């Protein structure tokens, strides 16, 4: 597994990987890797990437002013060992000055799916994500880039950005990897206390129950209000729990049979902000528009 820390060596390494006709897959990460990240490596390979590169870069541009970049977990040796064991071919670990040299003045702003939800909670976050992902795609020349569905809004922002800028990369959505009790894997889970960790799976459980009720014909707003109240009773401070059009994140107040829907949630448990999302099916027989 090759490790590149500057752009010329990345360009040489990716050119060599592609020289024998292999398609390059990219797994963008900020490190602190868990099984969810390693599933992205496997998914890129299964989708036809003959070689897989992972990037590890804690992107300062996507941290809001009130978020502590210095406290973001870092474990370079552990991450490299996991990527090597997962069969990764190359790791791109640029220093901040290589990614954003002095004088850098260009950012990528994606309207549409960046609005609302995490866009409201973390001002500037998606500008940072879109900018770094755009750079990672152009630097690596990857043909496939794998993103977890866990960060659903990020996945839609990056998909929109690649389409709008005609970047020849296929964005590959990869299903959320969960712990046995349903909690979505996340680098933030390590900050839960033992008691919070025991409560945390309730987020996914209440969402699953609400989605099942809506699919069985229950009205969206009161169903989500009941789920929100149950989460508050369990000790969560829900930020949002919303039914949206899956690709645009436009909120929906009635189910739609014709548009894929998603149930999105963010809730604070103690000091940890948990995110989750699941598909939302329309009740059988729901009429489409017109
Ligand atoms: O999901 C993440 O870890 C980051 O937002 C990403 C996509 C690597 C961009 O920095």
């Amino acid at each position: 597994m090759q490790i590149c820390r500057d752009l010329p060596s990345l360009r040489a390494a990716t050119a060599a990987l592609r020289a024998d006709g292999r398609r390059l897959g990219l797994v963008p990460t900020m490190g602190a890797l868990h099984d969810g990240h390693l599933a992205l490596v496997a998914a890129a390979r299964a989708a036809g990437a003959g070689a897989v590169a992972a990037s590890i870069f804690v992107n300062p541009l996507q941290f809001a002013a009130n978020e502590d970049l210095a406290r973001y977990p870092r474990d370079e040796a552990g991450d490299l060992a996991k990527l090597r064991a997962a069969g990764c071919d190359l790791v791109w670990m640029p220093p901040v000055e290589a990614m954003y040299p002095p004088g850098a003045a260009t950012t990528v702003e994606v309207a549409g799916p960046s609005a609302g939800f995490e866009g409201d909670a973390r001002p500037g976050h998606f500008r940072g994500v879109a900018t770094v992902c755009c750079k990672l795609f152009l630097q690596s020349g990857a043909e496939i880039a794998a993103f977890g569905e866990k960060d659903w809004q990020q996945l839609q922002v990056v998909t929109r950005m690649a389409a709008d800028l005609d970047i020849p990369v296929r964005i590959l959505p990869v299903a959320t990897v969960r712990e046995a009790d349903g909690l979505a894997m996340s680098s933030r889970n390590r900050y839960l206390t033992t008691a919070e960790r025991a409560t945390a799976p309730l987020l996914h459980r209440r969402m699953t129950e609400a989605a099942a009720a809506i699919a069985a014909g229950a009205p969206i707003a009161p169903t989500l209000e009941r789920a929100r109240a149950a989460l508050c009773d369990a000790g969560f401070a829900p930020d949002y729990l919303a039914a949206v059009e899956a690709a645009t994140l436009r909120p929906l107040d009635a189910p739609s049979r014709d548009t894929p829907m998603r149930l999105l949630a963010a809730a604070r448990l103690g000091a940890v902000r948990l995110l989750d999302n699941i598909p939302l099916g329309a009740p059988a027989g729901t009429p489409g528009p017109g």
Side-chain angles (χ1 to χ4, degrees):
M1 185 174 78
Q2 212 170 332
I3 297 170
C4 300
R5 295 180 193 269
D6 60 69
L7 201 47
S9 66
L10 176 75
R11 292 218 196 275
T14 51
L17 285 173
R18 282 197 306 255
D20 54 3
R22 289 192 288 175
R23 296 209 289 162
L24 181 66
L26 175 71
V27 174
T29 84
M30 298 211 299
L33 303 182
H34 50 67
D35 286 354
H37 295 109
L38 304 180
L40 301 179
V41 175
R45 233 181 244 297
V52 177
S55 59
I56 300 179
F57 179 64
V58 182
N59 176 29
L61 216 58
Q62 70 187 75
F63 284 75
N66 60 334
E67 295 171 346
D68 194 351
L69 170 68
R71 272 195 64 233
Y72 196 84
R74 288 170 170 83
D75 176 16
E76 181 175 321
D79 288 345
L80 291 176
K82 286 175 190 164
L83 290 172
R84 196 171 284 115
C88 203
D89 299 278
L90 186 160
V91 185
W92 170 221
M93 301 182 73
V96 174
E97 317 74 68
M99 196 56 103
Y100 302 119
T106 304
T107 55
V108 179
E109 184 91 37
V110 182
S114 295
F117 307 106
E118 293 309 291
D120 285 346
R122 308 179 66 186
H125 173 68
F126 288 122
R127 182 186 316 120
V129 169
T131 302
V132 81
C133 288
C134 183
K135 289 177 71 85
L136 290 168
F137 297 160
L138 299 176
Q139 290 166 343
S140 65
E143 287 167 73
I144 298 170
F147 285 83
E149 290 184 349
K150 158 79 175 24
D151 292 302
W152 184 263
Q153 191 170 8
Q154 165 172 283
L155 172 62
Q156 305 317 314
V157 168
V158 170
T159 302
R160 187 75 254 165
M161 182 268 290
D164 289 351
L165 299 182
D166 304 313
I167 302 178
V169 63
R170 171 182 160 209
I171 306 299
L172 178 69
V174 181
T176 302
V177 179
R178 298 182 182 278
E179 305 287 355
D181 57 15
L183 177 65
M185 285 193 188
S186 163
S187 313
R188 296 176 188 174
N189 293 351
R190 70 186 67 196
Y191 298 121
L192 294 167
T193 64
T194 309
E196 288 163 357
R197 175 63 190 81
T199 303
L202 275 179
L203 177 60
H204 180 241
R205 211 169 307 153
R206 295 292 166 256
M207 290 174 74
T208 309
E209 289 164 2
I214 291 166
I220 290 180
T223 305
L224 296 186
E225 198 34 61
R226 262 194 307 280
R228 171 185 271 273
L231 288 169
C232 290
D233 287 348
F236 290 87
D239 184 355
Y240 54 79
L241 181 61
V244 299
E245 193 176 82
T248 61
L249 279 87
R250 211 168 45 83
L252 292 169
D253 46 21
S256 158
R257 199 192 42 193
D258 301 309
T259 324
M261 299 182 293
R262 209 82 191 169
L263 181 58
L264 305 182
R268 202 169 279 283
L269 190 57
V272 182
R273 192 157 175 279
L274 297 173
L275 297 189
D276 208 339
N277 68 88
I278 56 173
L280 193 54
T286 306

